[in-house]
């Protein structure tokens, strides 16, 4: 059985539901496929933190229902491994009621005219004459197969990226290496003792509890907490084991609301987010902030940018890779270059030990404002200058050299991503430059060459 649409969106998480909303609102016939059904729609294992700037940007198209916001956040408390240093970084945002958020977004997509196929699992792309022309899916209730045909397919199936990764040999099928993911686990718990400063999310750096990542407390209220951790994928450690051993005993838990884990792509941008008849969004496009693993905002951003380019493709009647390439360019200029900058810093941070982190945080090598700027927006040159000066009087030249080298390469690699080619023709030459620069940097901080997945 088959059915035809203008656009098929596989996956009704934040990216897919928002893209379906925007495209349906623009008048396209949209099928929104979601594996989950009934009460499960909207359920997502997540830290649920979202910066205010993402909400403000979204509100230009769709104003969030206030019920999706569980707690208003004023900033971040960042703790050193020995917990002797606490930096308070400003930055407004929310802890979402993630279930309400996910459900609300899907409802808005449907209200705008998208057809929701709940309980349908996309199993792979349909390819004809070198172009994606639809998605194969299975109805989980009946087990029957169905083909969803369209001019453009959006892969929004999250980090599994089940559509794009099945296009073997295509540029867009680039797989994720274990070095480029974080394994995360979190619980939403009710606790006996109220957490201090519930208007602040708390991030704990500790390379023994959460190596290559961090552990967190994101308060939904003073006594209802989203607590979890992420561990660098290459270490192949189970985050739940670490959670139960080192984090859970810190709380008097009187109940659990939801538990779960998942993996998060924490890397530089994919080489390309498009192919003939296909775009990738959100986690399926590895669009996450590599430093802190936040990807809800980028799921919204990729939905917005890709739907703009898809609408143009319909105007021209051209759905080829070159017609959709503009999405790559918009993405790299808007966020991809900052993602690459942050990826460089992420790699450097993953090589530091607790001693380095205690030292760096206690000396306030970066101020609270600079940390906010780095984590949210990427680097700038004034930071570089500061590092040069500081190197002259701080007692750890090797650490400071590593930091200043990383800032310098973050800038250079970010600039390369800003110069992302306008068409596929320039891509291989451009990417060779990226690999060269990354490998130079990696050698300087003691990592081997960029792994091939
Ligand atoms: C433990 C953890 C904590 C996190 N904390 C934060 C945080 O605090 N802040 C933040 O911004 N980000 C956080 N993230 C990342 C964030 O959750 C993701 O970046 C974001 O949800 C990505 O949205 P998405 O729509 O791309 O993917 P998803 O939200 O994963 O949505 C994908 C959807 O596709 C569906 N699907 C999957 N396969 C198929 C298929 N074959 N067919 C049909 N449907 C399918 C899924 O059921 C799902 O509904 C966290 C992630 C984890 C795992």
């Amino acid at each position: 059985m088959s059915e035809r649409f203008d656009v098929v969106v596989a996956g009704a998480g934040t990216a897919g539901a928002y893209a379906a909303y925007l495209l349906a609102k623009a008048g396209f016939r949209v099928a929104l496929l979601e594996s989950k059904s009934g009460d499960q729609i909207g359920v997502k294992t997540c830290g649920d933190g979202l910066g205010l700037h993402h909400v403000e940007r979204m509100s230009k198209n769709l104003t969030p229902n206030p019920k999706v916001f569980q707690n208003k956040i004023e900033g971040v408390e960042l703790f050193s491994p020995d917990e002797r240093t606490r930096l308070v970084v400003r930055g407004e945002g929310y802890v979402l009621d993630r279930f309400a958020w996910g459900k609300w977004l899907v409802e808005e997509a449907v209200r705008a005219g998208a057809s929701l196929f709940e309980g349908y699992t996309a199993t792979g792309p349909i390819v004809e004459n070198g172009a994606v022309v639809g998605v194969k899916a299975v109805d989980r209730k009946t087990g029957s197969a169905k083909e969803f045909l369209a001019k453009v397919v959006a892969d929004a199936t999250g980090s599994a990226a089940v559509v794009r990764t099945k296009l073997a040999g295509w540029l867009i099928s680039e797989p994720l290496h274990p070095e480029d993911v974080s394994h995360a686990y979190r619980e939403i718990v009710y606790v006996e003792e109220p957490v201090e400063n519930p208007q602040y999310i708390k991030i704990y750096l500790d390379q023994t509890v959460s190596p290559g990542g961090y552990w967190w407390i994101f308060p939904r209220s003073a006594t209802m907490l989203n607590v979890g951790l992420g561990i660098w994928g290459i270490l192949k450690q189970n985050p739940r084991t670490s959670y139960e051993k080192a984090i859970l005993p810190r709380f008097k838990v009187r109940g659990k609301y939801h538990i779960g884990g998942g993996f998060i792509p924490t890397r530089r941008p994919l080489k390309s987010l498009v192919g003939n008849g296909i775009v990738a969004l959100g986690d399926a496009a590895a669009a996450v902030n590599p430093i802190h693993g936040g990807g809800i905002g980028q799921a919204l951003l990729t939905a917005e940018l890709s739907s703009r380019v898809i609408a143009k493709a319909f105007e021209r009647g051209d759905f080829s890779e070159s017609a959709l390439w503009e999405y790559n360019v918009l993405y790299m200029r808007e966020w991809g270059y900052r993602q690459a900058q942050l990826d460089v810093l992420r790699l450097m941070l993953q090589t530091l030990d607790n001693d380095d982190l205690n030292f760096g945080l206690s000396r306030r090598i970066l101020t609270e404002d600079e940390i906010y700027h780095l984590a949210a927006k990427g680097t700038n040159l004034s930071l570089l200058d500061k590092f040069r000066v500081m190197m002259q009087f701080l007692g750890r030249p090797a650490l400071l050299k590593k930091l200043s080298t990383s800032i310098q390469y973050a800038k250079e690699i970010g600039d390369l991503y800003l110069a992302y080619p306008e068409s596929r023709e320039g891509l291989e030459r451009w990417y060779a430059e990226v690999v060269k620069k990354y490998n130079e940097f990696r050698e300087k901080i003691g990592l081997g060459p960029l792994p091939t997945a």
Side-chain angles (χ1 to χ4, degrees):
M1 198 174 54
S2 71
E3 200 171 344
R4 184 166 288 283
F5 295 85
D6 294 328
V7 184
V8 173
V9 180
T14 300
Y18 190 45
Y21 166 81
L22 292 170
L23 288 162
K25 204 172 123 211
F28 298 105
R29 284 196 68 215
V30 180
L32 178 59
L33 274 51
E34 172 54 51
S35 277
K36 293 175 188 139
S37 53
D39 283 353
Q40 291 304 299
I41 290 189
V43 172
K44 165 76 188 172
T45 295
C46 185
D48 307 339
L50 182 62
L52 178 66
H53 58 290
H54 294 302
V55 176
E56 286 173 347
R57 181 170 181 144
M58 177 190 208
S59 300
K60 291 183 187 147
N61 295 308
L62 176 63
T63 308
N65 184 325
K67 76 177 181 200
V68 305
F69 301 124
Q70 181 88 28
N71 189 17
K72 178 90 172 67
I73 295 300
E74 288 164 18
V76 182
E77 293 177 337
L78 177 66
F79 293 88
S80 61
D82 59 13
E83 292 180 39
R84 288 201 191 127
T85 308
R86 180 184 66 120
L87 302 185
V88 181
V89 182
R90 71 183 164 85
E92 287 178 83
Y94 298 96
V95 174
L96 301 174
D97 177 334
R98 195 65 155 76
F99 175 58
W101 165 268
K103 199 163 166 300
W104 162 75
L105 263 178
V106 173
E107 282 166 3
E108 289 294 341
V110 171
R111 198 169 299 138
S115 304
L116 174 66
F117 291 86
E118 52 178 287
Y120 277 79
T121 297
T123 53
I126 304 168
V127 180
E128 270 174 23
N129 302 322
V132 175
V133 294
V135 167
K136 293 181 201 146
V138 172
D139 178 347
R140 286 159 55 101
K141 281 171 247 121
T142 63
S144 58
K146 178 164 171 143
E147 295 193 338
F148 292 85
L149 304 174
K151 301 287 188 202
V152 183
V153 167
D155 185 353
T157 56
S159 47
V162 297
V163 187
R164 73 162 185 85
T165 52
K166 292 204 173 131
L167 291 162
W170 290 37
L171 198 51
I172 194 177
S173 70
E174 188 179 350
L176 304 180
H177 186 274
E179 199 195 78
D180 289 337
V181 300
S182 282
H183 294 278
Y185 177 78
R186 73 96 179 87
E187 298 190 344
I188 300 176
V189 293
Y190 300 99
V191 292
E192 299 281 354
E193 286 162 16
V195 73
E196 276 179 37
N197 306 325
Q199 283 357 100
Y200 285 79
I201 61 173
K202 292 135 203 352
I203 288 185
Y204 296 81
L205 299 175
D206 189 330
Q207 297 286 33
T208 47
V209 175
S210 47
Y214 61 90
W215 72 272
W216 71 81
I217 304 171
F218 289 0
R220 285 173 68 127
S221 71
T223 53
M224 186 183 191
L225 310 176
N226 182 316
V227 185
L229 78 162
I231 294 183
W232 195 5
I234 202 165
L235 301 172
K236 297 193 167 39
Q237 287 183 29
N238 184 341
R240 184 170 185 170
T241 310
S242 192
Y243 175 85
E244 283 169 356
K245 186 169 156 229
I247 301 173
L248 194 57
R250 296 169 67 116
F251 301 92
K252 279 190 192 147
V253 172
R254 62 184 165 81
K256 294 188 182 180
Y257 172 77
H258 190 262
I259 67 169
F263 75 95
I264 313 171
T266 39
R267 51 161 282 159
R268 66 198 179 284
L270 295 178
K271 267 199 246 182
S272 171
L273 282 52
V274 307
N276 289 327
I278 182 167
V279 296
L281 317 181
D283 280 14
V288 177
N289 181 319
I291 288 261
H292 59 55
I296 304 172
Q298 285 71 25
L300 295 171
L301 177 73
T302 50
E304 183 198 310
L305 299 179
S306 64
S307 51
R308 212 189 292 165
V309 174
I310 290 170
K312 275 198 195 170
F314 273 93
E315 277 168 26
R316 295 190 200 123
D318 180 357
F319 309 98
S320 64
E321 180 183 66
S322 60
L324 298 171
W325 196 265
E326 189 188 351
Y327 169 41
N328 277 335
V329 177
L330 290 175
Y331 178 80
M332 298 303 173
R333 308 264 151 92
E334 180 111 17
W335 166 247
Y337 83 97
R338 289 183 278 168
Q339 183 182 345
Q341 291 181 333
L342 293 167
D343 184 49
V344 169
L345 301 178
R346 175 279 293 194
L347 287 166
M348 177 271 293
L349 282 171
Q350 284 173 326
T351 68
L352 301 184
D353 59 22
N354 275 355
D355 207 28
D356 291 333
L357 290 167
N358 285 328
F359 177 85
L361 266 72
S362 66
R363 297 291 179 99
R364 286 178 164 66
I365 285 178
L366 294 180
T367 66
E368 284 84 343
D369 274 358
E370 287 162 346
I371 291 172
Y372 168 75
H373 188 91
L374 269 177
K377 301 178 180 164
T379 58
N380 65 19
L381 269 171
S382 65
L383 288 171
L384 253 181
D385 296 341
K386 180 165 181 201
F387 273 114
R388 282 206 204 97
V389 176
M390 292 191 73
M391 276 173 67
Q392 290 162 5
F393 61 85
L394 279 178
R396 289 212 182 183
L399 173 61
L400 284 162
K401 178 99 179 57
K402 198 183 240 189
L403 293 174
S404 67
T405 300
S406 306
I407 298 265
Q408 181 199 328
Y409 274 91
K411 168 86 177 67
E412 289 179 21
I413 289 174
D415 287 348
L416 268 178
Y417 275 83
L418 269 177
Y420 184 86
E422 301 277 344
S423 70
R424 181 163 178 173
E425 282 64 58
L427 189 81
E428 287 316 315
R429 195 151 26 94
W430 170 83
Y431 194 64
E433 283 289 306
V434 170
V435 172
K436 186 166 157 262
K437 211 31 109 184
Y438 254 98
N439 284 344
E440 263 174 42
F441 162 66
R442 291 172 65 99
E443 196 186 332
K444 290 199 165 133
I445 62 161
L447 293 171
L450 261 185
T452 44

